[in-house]
Amino acid sequence: MGVEEKLGNLGIITTTLEAAVNWSRTRAMWPLLSGLACCAIEMMATQASDYDLSRFGMELMRPSPRQSDLLIIAGRVTRKMAPVLRRLYDQMPDPKWVLAMGDCCSCGGVFNNYAIIPGVDEVMPVDVYVAGCPPRPEGLIHGIVTLHEKVKGEKINTYS
Amino acid sequence: MLQPEMELTVDELKHLVSNRAIEGDTMVLNMGPQHPSTHGVLRLLLELDGEKIITCIPDIGYLHSGIEKNMEAKSFEKVLVMTDRMDYLNNLGNNLAYCLAIEKLVDLDVPPRAQVIRVLLTELQRITSHLVFLGTHALDLAAMSVFLYCFREREIILDIFEMCSGQRMMTSYFRPGGLWRDVPEGFEEVVQNFLDIFPARIQQYEDLLSNNPLYLDRTKGIGVIPTDMALSWGATGPPLRASGIAYDVRKAQPYSGYEQYEFDIPTGENGDVYDRYIVRMEEMRQSVRIVQQALDNIPEGPFRSDNRKFVPPPRSELAHSMEAVIHHFKLWTEGFTAPKGEVYVPVESPKGLLGCYLVSDGGSNPYRVHFRTPSFANMQILPKISIGCLVADLVAIISSLDPVLGDVDR
């Protein structure tokens, strides 16, 4: 297969269980197919041909929270939508991660009123915040790569 | 805080569905608000007999962001930023509606160069909006590659917007009295390159879908909106034109010099999903025509009005003119005041008629801003036309109405 032809016979690779598990988690992290507002359009652009999220093993977006690992909050979170999002988060199996995409769900953004929750972190824990209104697709990819770095640093005793 | 403040009991909801549902004869199914085919956060309550829809109750408001209320707390110029976030596929069109309203309210002139560039960019925006429609519509009907093609072309247009305004989506490029700044060097060439390739690309999409038997089976005769229903429910834009009425604000009440451009209004005959698709494809071709005419005739001259009471002076003047410094200071601290009154301006957004109603009480903030958004009006028809359809057809109908939930809920 590909690697052996280039590198010769590698024989045995030794690694730690932590490294192997974390590596496998970063290579196939399926996001939940859930968009809220403007950022969802940029999230779609990130999946489309120019930015091609499948380079990170993420082309498969699952519409069901039961099958997904990553919740990308793409857009503004209203008071009506927040309980729904929390429910989606609760339905996701562990290990799970949350990426807050854009200013609105990070801190409220331009909205300072009765309808918008100033940051989705009032409802659920967030791993990575991506700034921008909306963030460019490169910004989202940077956020995802940052999340991968975080996952790679997880310890075996934190696995639940 | 997160619990809904008004708890509804089952008894209060019983009148929404038929008696058969209460007896357990039919099934009540919840669709959304997190559903890949509802184009955002639309929630539908469906009563099903087998797979046939008996009742369809849309539940909107999951993206209500209080934009109109928020606008009342901002000065006239800052309100513009909020308009971008309503219909987030038609940012420049929303800017335009608001700018035209302000210009009508304070009687502000717009130089011809700015008008032509406004038309050019809003038509490009119309193409991007229809491309997102086409991509998601095809994706809902399980045609994956159309989505990838559409977003490829959309990126070219977004690059043009970024070139002008520095942002891909939330441009805020149109300002009361003209534009934020002039178009950059090389703009004409980039737009021309796009116009050269795009007609062939539209043909490419049509080759994939228009005669595809699978696509025809899913769209022909589905979700028919009869002409009288379209009129009585206030549908505008492609849903109205697909039902056979050639109403377009650009022709009926031309704004920004649309009367100078030659273009046709495509109409359909049957008012079904397929006709709405065909109308949008043809509209993209017409938009290409308008952009080409605008591009060939961009006049020289200022890109924004020199009425210093409403438009900030250029930075070069600040160094040597005390008057310019005063105007600049006034505009960026308290903003300009508008005379007491109210205006209403309709424009043609990609989704239909977008109206901006602006009330001023004589201060520097609007007293009330209301937007008559096309997605909201078009969405009203959904419960009517989805009765008797299959759930799979409902997916096609929703995407053919092309609602943007930010536009519905605001």
Side-chain angles (χ1 to χ4, degrees):
Chain A
M1 301 296 282
V3 182
E4 285 90 339
E5 278 167 18
K6 290 202 175 78
L7 297 176
N9 186 7
L10 286 168
I12 301 164
I13 303 174
T14 55
T15 181
T16 60
L17 181 63
E18 258 173 16
V21 170
N22 289 341
W23 173 80
S24 60
R25 281 179 175 174
T26 56
R27 292 305 105 179
M29 194 183 269
W30 291 354
L32 179 70
L33 178 52
S34 142
L36 298 177
C38 333
C39 289
I41 307 292
E42 284 296 60
M43 189 169 75
M44 276 155 64
T46 318
Q47 289 167 322
S49 25
D50 278 36
Y51 296 96
D52 198 9
L53 208 51
S54 60
R55 290 177 292 163
F56 304 94
M58 297 175 91
E59 78 276 25
L60 201 61
M61 290 201 120
R62 303 314 305 189
S64 163
R66 310 259 182 219
Q67 299 167 346
S68 44
D69 311 301
L70 171 64
L71 178 56
I72 299 178
I73 312 279
R76 46 202 188 235
V77 184
T78 60
R79 294 203 185 274
K80 191 171 178 179
M81 192 63 194
V84 181
L85 276 178
R86 174 68 209 195
R87 191 164 175 181
L88 286 172
Y89 176 77
D90 288 340
Q91 284 175 339
M92 284 165 63
D94 278 324
K96 55 190 171 188
W97 297 277
V98 178
L99 191 149
M101 178 185 183
D103 286 349
C104 299
C105 60
S106 299
C107 63
V110 295
F111 299 99
N112 180 16
N113 60 32
Y114 60 92
I116 299 287
I117 288 195
V120 74
D121 45 10
E122 298 207 354
V123 204
M124 63 181 79
V126 177
D127 292 285
V128 174
Y129 297 90
V130 181
C133 188
R136 297 178 56 88
E138 289 97 328
L140 178 60
I141 290 174
H142 177 73
I144 287 167
V145 173
T146 311
L147 181 66
H148 285 179
E149 291 305 315
K150 182 181 175 182
V151 172
K152 279 180 196 162
E154 280 183 6
K155 295 288 172 217
I156 200 160
N157 53 9
T158 61
Y159 298 159
S160 49
Chain B
M1 184 197 72
L2 293 172
Q3 293 302 318
E5 283 162 17
M6 273 169 44
E7 290 284 350
L8 284 169
T9 60
V10 177
D11 289 329
E12 287 172 295
L13 292 168
K14 270 182 182 170
H15 68 281
L16 294 171
V17 291
S18 73
N19 282 331
R20 289 175 66 200
I22 293 156
E23 286 158 15
D25 195 19
T26 54
M27 185 173 78
V28 178
L29 184 76
N30 177 56
M31 183 173 173
Q34 186 264 327
H35 188 283
S37 300
T38 52
H39 287 230
V41 287
L42 172 65
R43 177 172 172 233
L44 298 168
L45 198 63
L46 304 175
E47 187 191 343
L48 302 174
D49 181 10
E51 213 194 323
K52 233 182 201 160
I53 294 167
I54 298 175
T55 327
C56 166
I57 309 160
D59 179 10
I60 61 171
Y62 283 96
L63 202 57
H64 173 67
S65 338
I67 287 181
E68 286 173 1
K69 188 70 190 166
N70 228 158
M71 283 172 174
E72 293 166 14
K74 290 180 184 290
S75 69
F76 282 111
E77 238 192 5
K78 292 176 186 165
V79 166
L80 192 74
V81 176
M82 308 294 290
T83 61
D84 277 316
R85 277 120 186 124
M86 286 191 321
D87 178 355
Y88 37 83
L89 294 178
N90 180 36
N91 321 90
L92 287 163
N94 297 343
N95 289 171
L96 182 65
Y98 177 73
C99 287
L100 288 174
I102 283 282
E103 282 149 15
K104 194 172 166 188
L105 184 68
V106 301
D107 197 18
L108 187 59
D109 63 303
V110 183
R113 183 177 173 83
Q115 296 217 2
V116 172
I117 293 169
R118 279 180 176 187
V119 167
L120 197 159
L121 289 174
T122 38
E123 288 306 317
L124 285 177
Q125 184 88 68
R126 192 180 311 278
I127 295 174
T128 62
S129 175
H130 285 346
L131 283 175
V132 174
F133 151 76
L134 184 62
T136 52
H137 176 62
L139 200 60
D140 285 345
L141 301 177
M144 181 78 194
S145 43
V146 183
F147 170 78
L148 297 173
Y149 285 138
C150 288
F151 270 72
R152 180 185 61 185
E153 270 73 72
R154 187 171 179 269
E155 289 295 329
I156 304 175
I157 304 183
L158 290 190
D159 285 346
I160 296 173
F161 293 160
E162 192 179 8
M163 201 176 159
C164 298
S165 69
Q167 245 279 30
R168 282 157 56 89
M169 281 174 70
M170 305 302 167
T171 49
S172 299
Y173 184 57
F174 301 162
R175 299 288 164 91
L179 309 171
W180 170 53
R181 64 173 189 188
D182 208 352
V183 289
E185 223 169 281
F187 172 79
E188 286 85 355
E189 194 191 339
V190 179
V191 178
Q192 189 59 53
N193 286 346
F194 172 74
L195 292 178
D196 291 343
I197 59 161
F198 192 61
R201 300 283 167 89
I202 302 178
Q203 193 53 46
Q204 208 173 19
Y205 315 141
E206 291 235 48
D207 290 345
L208 285 167
L209 289 177
S210 294
N211 296 314
N212 185 334
L214 291 173
Y215 182 74
L216 294 180
D217 281 352
R218 296 284 306 270
T219 54
K220 281 243 174 186
I222 306 292
V224 177
I225 306 179
T227 312
D228 53 337
M229 189 199 270
L231 282 174
S232 56
W233 283 87
T236 45
L240 178 67
R241 290 193 279 272
S243 299
I245 297 189
Y247 178 76
D248 190 317
V249 186
R250 292 175 290 173
K251 288 271 191 201
Q253 302 174 43
Y255 52 90
S256 291
Y258 263 111
E259 63 276 6
Q260 304 159 19
Y261 302 97
E262 267 183 39
F263 63 100
D264 303 323
I265 306 175
T267 52
E269 287 163 8
N270 309 318
D272 55 3
V273 173
Y274 184 75
D275 276 10
R276 293 197 274 280
Y277 153 78
I278 289 291
V279 163
R280 289 200 177 91
M281 298 306 278
E282 195 51 42
E283 271 184 24
M284 286 204 270
R285 293 205 174 89
Q286 298 301 329
S287 290
V288 169
R289 270 177 78 188
I290 298 174
V291 173
Q292 186 67 65
Q293 291 170 47
L295 188 66
D296 294 341
N297 299 305
I298 298 183
E300 292 297 319
F303 60 91
R304 60 183 173 193
S305 163
D306 56 0
N307 188 338
R308 293 278 169 264
K309 295 291 171 215
F310 303 106
V311 179
R315 195 148 265 292
S316 57
E317 268 183 36
L318 293 181
H320 53 80
S321 163
M322 191 60 211
E323 208 187 345
V325 174
I326 292 168
H327 280 138
H328 186 268
F329 180 75
K330 285 280 275 183
L331 280 172
W332 293 124
T333 48
E334 63 177 3
F336 57 81
T337 55
K340 211 169 177 176
E342 54 185 64
V343 288
Y344 175 75
V345 175
V347 300
E348 183 74 21
S349 98
K351 319 261 178 320
L353 189 151
L354 172 71
C356 176
Y357 176 62
L358 189 66
V359 185
S360 162
D361 60 355
S364 58
N365 291 9
Y367 178 74
R368 175 84 169 95
V369 192
H370 177 70
F371 281 89
R372 185 265 182 220
T373 51
S375 300
F376 179 71
N378 293 350
M379 184 70 104
Q380 298 177 88
I381 311 180
L382 182 66
K384 296 281 155 196
I385 58 174
S386 55
I387 292 171
C389 291
L390 304 179
V391 176
D393 294 340
L394 180 66
V395 168
I397 294 171
I398 296 172
S399 62
S400 78
L401 290 176
D402 194 17
V404 166
L405 269 295
D407 205 25
V408 174
D409 296 337
R410 304 189 287 290

